[in-house]
Amino acid sequence: MTENTEFRHWQLKRDAEDIAWLVLDREGEKVNSLSREVLLELDAVLAKLEEDLPRGLVIYSAKKSGFIAGADIREFDHQTDATEAKAGIEMAHTLFDRLEALPCYTVASIHGFCLGGGLELALACDYRVALDSESTRIGFPEIQLGIFPAFGGTARSIRLLGGRKALELILTARSLRAQAARGLGLVDKVVSEHGSLHWAARKAIVKQRKGHRASRLNRMSSSPGTRQIIAKAMEAQVSKRARRDHYPAPYVLIDLWRKVGDDFNAMLKGEAEKASELLMGDVSRNLRRVFRLQEQLKELAKPNNSTANWQARRVHVVGAGVMGGDIAAWCALRGLEVTLQDREMKYVAPALKRAEVLFKKKLRSSAKVAAAKSRLMADVSGDGIQRADVIIEAIFENLEAKQQLFTELEQKAKPDALLASNTSAIPLEDIAAGLQQPQRLIGLHFFNPVAKMPLVEVVRGSQSDSSDIKKGCMFSQRIGKFPLPVKSAPGFLVNRVLAPYMLEAVNLLDEGHSMATIDAAAETFGMPMGPIELVDTVGLDVAVSVSKKLAPDNIKAIEPLQAMVDAGKLGKKSGEGFYLWKKDRPEKGKPSDMVALDILGERLIKPLLEECRCCLAEDIVDSADLLDAGVIFGTGFAPFRGGPMHYLEESKLLPEVTP
C-alpha cells in the first residue's frame, strides 16, 4: 500500500486493488472536527484524486472517539459578520459538491461520533457503513447551537429522506445509534461490533460494476400545499418546546423548506444565507457559550496525578427514599454495580420498583432491562460497603444520625472509597466532625428528579481533600452528570439562587397577580417552567425548609407556604399545591395580564440575579463561567441568554456586589 504524507490532518493511502483510503487524524486534537484548514486540505486531496482516479475512495477516522464530531465551532466566534460566515459555508458547499461529483465510488466508514459537519460530509459520499456499537452516534445537533446544518446537510438529508423525516431529525437534534440510522435511511450498511468496517467498505466498492454508482434517491419533490400543511404541524410541535422569539432557528428552517423544499440548489443557497445570519445572532452566540460551559464542566472530571488510578465501579447508597433510591437506580442504569441499604426491606422495595420503571423507559431491550436490574441489589445488612468505590448517604436531614452513620461507614469502607453526603441543609464540616479522617467527606448534591436533572453539585467543606473533590467530579461524569464544585454554604449555589426567585413569586401572588400570569412571565423571560409550578414540582415542604434556612427574614412569603404544608398540600406529589395536578400536569388556566409579562418576568428574575452576584462574591463557585454553568444546568436559566452573569454583563442591570 502506497501512502501520501504531504498533509497535516489527512493521510491518503492506495492499496493493491487501487482503492484509495483517506484517513482523518486532526493534528493536536483528540476529536476530529472540520476546521478551515482541514477542509482546505481535503480540497487538495480531492484534486490529487481527480488527477489519478482510483477504483474507489473510503473516508474514515484514525481517532478512537469517532468519525467527525462536526465543524470546529471555535472558529465561528472569530467570524466578524454574516458575509464572512456565508463565504465559509459556501466554501464547504463547493468542497462537498466536489466530493459528491468525484467519478469514483465513495464510501464513508463510520465509528463513534458522526455528527453535524461529519454527517454532512458522509452524506456527500455514495455509501455509508457504520459500526454497531454503543459509542456510534449519528445526527445533526446544530439546532442546539441556534443554527441548522449548513454544509449541505439540510438539502442532502431532505433529498435522501424526504422533508418530514429529515426535518424531524434536525429539529429534535437526535443522535441515532447505527441500527436506527440504518432504519431511517442515513446509513446503508451496519457492521457488527465484532465485524470489520474495513472489509465492509472494501466490499461496497468492489461490488460496483465499472461506471456504476449507487443511485441517489431524490425525495425533494413535494407540492407547496403539502409542505404548507406539514410545516404548520411542525411549527406547532416546535412551539411546545421553544418560542420563536427565544429560539428562531427551527422556525427559519421550517420556513425555508416550506418555500423551496423541492429545489436542491435553492435549499443550498438558503442554507448559506439563513444559517450565516443565525450564526451571527445573539441566540447562537449565547448557545455556543453554553456549549463551551458544558465542556468546562467535563474538563473538571479529568483525573489528576492523585486520582489517575481511581475508578468508580461499585456504588453503595444508604437511604432508599425518593432521592437515595433514584440515585441508586440512575447509577445502575449507567452501568455501575449498586447496593442499596435501608433499615428494612420494606423501605427498599418501592425504590426497586421505581428503578424498574426507569430501566424500561430508558433501555431498548428486555435483556438490557434485566441486566440493569441485576446490577441494583437490595442490601439491608450493608454488605456492599466494604466493596464500594463510592458511598453516598441519602438519609433524613438529622445531624446526629448522619454523624453516627458516617462513623460506621468510615470503619468499613475501603481506604480510597469516596464518602459523600447528599445533604442540602447541614454543613459538611459538622457531619465530618466525628470522623477519624474528616477530609474524606464531600457532598454530592443531586437534584430531583435525578433522571432528568443534568447537574450534580460536588460540595467541598473546609475540611474536604481536593483529591476527593476530584473523585466526586469523576464519578459525576461517569454517571452522565455535569459536576459543579461548590463551597459548603447554606443552599450551595442552585437552591440559594432559586429561593429568592420563588419567594418573589409568592410576593407577586400576594399583590394579586394570578399564578398562571406569574408562571407565564417567567416563561416569557426564558425559564423552562414558572416559579409557582416549580415550587409545586419540588414540593412545598421542601420549599419551606429551604426558605427558612436561606431567607428566614422573609416571613411574609414563607407563612402562606407553611399554611399549605400544614393543610397537606405538598404540590405535585400530593396532587395539590398551588395547582391541582392531574396526570402529572398542573391545571393552570390562562394568564390574566399578557401586557405586563415582560415587566413581571424581569422582576421575578432580579432577586435570582442579585443572589448570583452575592454567590460569586462569596466564592461559592470559582468563576463567573462556572456560576453560569451551574445555574443554567441546575435551574434551566434561559440558555439563549448565556447564563445569569453573562446576561448581567450584557444588560448592565445590577451594580457590583462586594463580599
Side-chain angles (χ1 to χ4, degrees):
M1 182 177 286
T2 60
E3 182 173 349
N4 188 303
T5 58
E6 64 182 274
F7 303 108
R8 289 183 60 201
H9 308 295
W10 298 91
Q11 288 87 46
L12 180 62
K13 307 172 186 178
R14 206 146 176 159
D15 66 17
E17 295 181 289
D18 199 29
I19 296 175
W21 299 83
L22 180 60
V23 56
L24 177 58
D25 189 4
R26 187 172 175 190
E27 187 176 273
E29 301 282 346
K30 292 184 178 179
V31 176
N32 282 333
S33 60
L34 298 178
S35 66
R36 179 178 176 82
E37 185 177 4
V38 168
L39 293 174
L40 289 173
E41 279 195 6
L42 177 58
D43 194 46
V45 170
L46 294 178
K48 292 182 70 68
L49 292 171
E50 288 167 346
E51 291 174 3
D52 185 11
L53 203 65
R55 181 181 186 180
L57 170 67
V58 179
I59 302 176
Y60 68 105
S61 164
K63 303 289 190 187
K64 290 183 178 180
S65 57
F67 184 63
I68 301 170
D72 188 341
I73 66 171
R74 294 170 295 189
E75 294 187 345
F76 295 164
D77 293 330
H78 299 306
Q79 295 173 335
T80 56
D81 56 39
T83 301
E84 183 182 356
K86 182 181 177 183
I89 292 171
E90 289 174 338
M91 183 195 82
H93 281 177
T94 301
L95 174 59
F96 288 177
D97 286 348
R98 190 175 191 178
L99 171 61
E100 186 173 73
L102 201 65
C104 65
Y105 199 73
T106 54
V107 178
S109 178
I110 299 164
H111 75 278
F113 291 114
C114 177
L115 302 172
L119 179 54
E120 293 181 284
L121 185 150
L123 287 174
C125 295
D126 296 308
Y127 198 80
R128 288 162 291 284
V129 298
L131 191 66
D132 188 16
S133 71
E134 285 294 320
S135 63
T136 298
R137 293 291 187 275
I138 300 170
F140 290 122
E142 286 91 342
I143 210 78
Q144 296 175 335
L145 299 177
I147 53 176
F148 55 84
F151 283 3
T154 297
R156 284 191 171 88
S157 63
I158 291 172
R159 184 179 64 185
L160 181 66
L161 306 177
R164 182 192 293 272
K165 288 184 178 179
L167 263 64
E168 284 177 353
L169 177 68
I170 295 169
L171 293 171
T172 58
R174 284 187 300 155
S175 292
L176 304 176
R177 291 181 171 87
Q179 290 288 1
R182 171 70 181 87
L184 188 64
L186 285 173
V187 166
D188 300 288
K189 175 73 174 178
V190 173
V191 179
S192 164
E193 191 166 12
H194 304 293
S196 171
L197 278 174
H198 178 94
W199 287 107
R202 173 190 170 277
K203 185 177 180 181
I205 289 174
V206 171
K207 283 184 65 177
Q208 302 307 310
R209 296 188 302 273
K210 185 176 180 180
H212 171 74
R213 301 174 64 85
S215 62
R216 292 191 178 98
L217 297 177
N218 190 342
R219 296 177 177 166
M220 301 200 74
S221 58
S222 57
S223 69
T226 299
R227 291 200 304 277
Q228 178 68 29
I229 294 170
I230 296 173
K232 187 174 181 180
M234 286 185 173
E235 285 178 338
Q237 286 296 315
V238 170
S239 68
K240 295 176 182 179
R241 305 189 304 270
R243 294 164 55 113
R244 185 187 292 267
D245 54 337
H246 293 167
Y247 301 98
Y251 299 94
V252 172
L253 172 58
I254 293 170
D255 193 50
L256 175 64
W257 177 71
R258 177 194 281 118
K259 292 177 180 176
V260 297
D262 58 348
D263 186 331
F264 181 81
N265 290 325
M267 282 298 301
L268 285 178
K269 182 180 179 182
E271 280 184 26
E273 292 176 350
K274 300 301 182 181
S276 58
E277 293 172 2
L278 290 167
L279 200 60
M280 293 296 103
D282 288 339
V283 171
S284 181
R285 289 185 189 277
N286 287 337
L287 291 177
R288 298 198 305 271
R289 169 178 163 76
V290 172
F291 175 79
R292 292 193 298 271
L293 295 177
Q294 179 177 306
E295 294 303 301
Q296 281 189 43
L297 294 181
K298 291 179 181 178
E299 285 289 320
L300 297 173
K302 290 188 175 180
N304 56 23
N305 291 337
S306 64
T307 61
N309 297 321
W310 184 85
Q311 290 188 53
R313 296 186 180 90
R314 297 182 179 90
V315 179
H316 184 79
V317 180
V318 185
V322 172
M323 185 58 73
D326 289 359
I327 292 171
W330 183 259
C331 292
L333 178 74
R334 301 293 298 190
L336 299 178
E337 181 182 306
V338 185
T339 45
L340 179 58
Q341 182 180 3
D342 213 310
R343 290 169 292 167
E344 297 179 46
M345 187 61 199
K346 67 180 182 181
Y347 299 115
V348 180
L352 298 181
K353 289 181 180 179
R354 291 199 311 276
E356 184 175 3
V357 172
L358 175 68
F359 300 155
K360 289 179 178 179
K361 181 179 180 181
K362 294 288 186 179
L363 299 174
R364 293 184 297 165
S365 69
S366 57
K368 290 183 178 181
V369 170
K373 288 173 66 177
S374 71
R375 290 192 295 268
L376 177 57
M377 293 161 279
D379 184 16
V380 174
S381 59
D383 294 333
I385 297 171
Q386 297 177 0
R387 301 191 305 273
D389 303 300
V390 179
I391 301 172
I392 302 173
E393 167 271 310
I395 66 172
F396 57 98
E397 293 289 277
N398 178 277
L399 175 59
E400 291 74 20
K402 291 179 186 289
Q403 286 178 331
Q404 181 180 347
L405 175 60
F406 274 107
T407 299
E408 297 170 1
L409 292 173
E410 183 184 34
Q411 294 172 359
K412 297 179 181 179
K414 296 191 299 185
D416 66 342
L418 180 65
L419 302 180
S421 173
N422 185 56
T423 184
S424 60
I426 303 174
L428 284 181
E429 296 84 354
D430 293 348
I431 299 174
L435 296 179
Q436 294 179 2
Q437 295 178 294
Q439 69 274 13
R440 292 183 65 181
L441 183 65
I442 71 165
L444 287 174
H445 185 222
F446 290 77
F447 297 92
N448 191 29
V450 173
K452 291 184 178 180
M453 299 301 290
L455 190 78
V456 172
E457 290 179 316
V458 182
V459 187
R460 61 178 187 274
S462 59
Q463 90 299 334
S464 299
D465 187 272
S466 60
S467 65
D468 288 295
I469 296 297
K470 175 62 74 173
K471 288 179 183 178
C473 292
M474 292 167 62
F475 166 69
S476 300
Q477 177 75 6
R478 171 64 183 80
I479 61 171
K481 302 293 186 183
F482 296 132
L484 178 72
V486 297
K487 185 170 73 174
S488 178
F492 310 134
L493 174 67
V494 173
N495 282 348
R496 178 168 166 180
V497 303
L498 277 179
Y501 166 68
M502 292 190 291
L503 291 175
E504 182 64 17
V506 178
N507 289 334
L508 287 174
L509 275 177
D510 188 58
E511 293 175 15
H513 298 282
S514 73
M515 294 184 294
T517 298
I518 294 167
D519 277 351
E523 291 163 6
T524 297
F525 179 84
M527 301 300 279
M529 73 170 60
I532 304 298
E533 183 179 351
L534 179 62
V535 173
D536 265 7
T537 303
V538 169
L540 274 81
D541 51 341
V542 175
V544 168
S545 176
V546 171
S547 298
K548 285 181 176 178
K549 291 179 176 67
L550 300 180
D553 296 333
N554 199 339
I555 302 298
K556 183 180 178 182
I558 295 174
E559 281 183 344
L561 295 177
Q562 183 64 63
M564 294 174 73
V565 171
D566 293 342
K569 297 180 179 181
L570 305 182
K572 182 178 180 180
K573 57 189 171 185
S574 68
E576 183 178 2
F578 284 103
Y579 294 115
L580 279 173
W581 288 76
K582 292 185 178 179
K583 296 182 179 180
D584 284 340
R585 291 183 178 276
E587 295 187 341
K588 282 192 173 185
K590 294 184 178 180
S592 57
D593 186 356
M594 299 296 292
V595 177
L597 291 183
D598 286 342
I599 297 172
L600 289 179
E602 293 286 353
R603 179 176 162 184
L604 276 169
I605 292 298
K606 186 174 181 181
L608 182 150
L609 298 174
E610 290 173 338
E611 202 63 41
C612 286
R613 278 277 177 90
C614 292
C615 286
L616 188 61
E618 295 170 23
D619 296 321
I620 300 300
V621 288
D622 289 340
S623 69
D625 278 356
L626 289 180
L627 187 145
D628 278 350
V631 178
I632 290 170
F633 296 117
T635 74
F637 183 91
F640 71 93
R641 297 188 186 275
M645 301 309 298
H646 179 74
Y647 174 67
L648 282 171
E649 183 178 346
E650 294 293 308
S651 57
K652 309 296 182 187
L653 284 180
L654 295 174
E656 294 291 335
V657 173
T658 55

